[in-house]
Amino acid sequence: AAAEPVNVLPGTLGRGSWCHEHDTIHKRLDIIEEKVIKTVEHLESEVKSLLNIISETASNIPIAPGTPLMDIFDGKY
């Protein structure tokens, strides 16, 4: 005689631990995502600040006549 398939209704046996684990993973991923977003925003702010400082410094440096100008970024930023 063939074994009959086991019927597990949604929300019953086994679902509880899997669902709890799934929720825990998603909560951890949400926390990680939030930290990554905040870190990226902080780094963007720092880079903008540094670029502004470099730009201000570069514009205040006196250039001797006949000195060729050089773009320190050369389109690679």
Side-chain angles (χ1 to χ4, degrees), residues 8 21 23 29 35 40-41 48-49 54 56 73 76:
V8 178
E21 191 174 321
D23 289 343
L29 288 173
K35 287 181 180 182
V40 168
E41 288 172 351
K48 286 179 184 177
S49 176
I54 290 170
E56 290 170 7
F73 299 112
K76 298 176 184 173

Side-chain angles (χ1 to χ4, degrees), residues 8-24:
V8 178
L9 298 175
T12 61
L13 299 174
R15 183 181 184 273
S17 73
W18 179 87
C19 190
H20 176 69
E21 191 174 321
H22 183 78
D23 289 343
T24 301

Side-chain angles (χ1 to χ4, degrees), residues 54-75:
I54 290 170
S55 178
E56 290 170 7
T57 303
S59 65
N60 292 330
I61 297 175
I63 300 174
T67 304
L69 297 177
M70 179 175 32
D71 183 2
I72 61 170
F73 299 112
D74 195 23

Side-chain angles (χ1 to χ4, degrees), residues 1-47:
E4 296 205 16
V6 177
N7 290 327
V8 178
L9 298 175
T12 61
L13 299 174
R15 183 181 184 273
S17 73
W18 179 87
C19 190
H20 176 69
E21 191 174 321
H22 183 78
D23 289 343
T24 301
I25 290 171
H26 274 281
K27 286 176 186 173
R28 288 180 183 172
L29 288 173
D30 288 343
I31 291 169
I32 292 169
E33 179 182 21
E34 184 177 333
K35 287 181 180 182
V36 167
I37 289 170
K38 286 181 180 180
T39 300
V40 168
E41 288 172 351
H42 175 74
L43 290 173
E44 285 177 339
S45 173
E46 289 293 316
V47 167

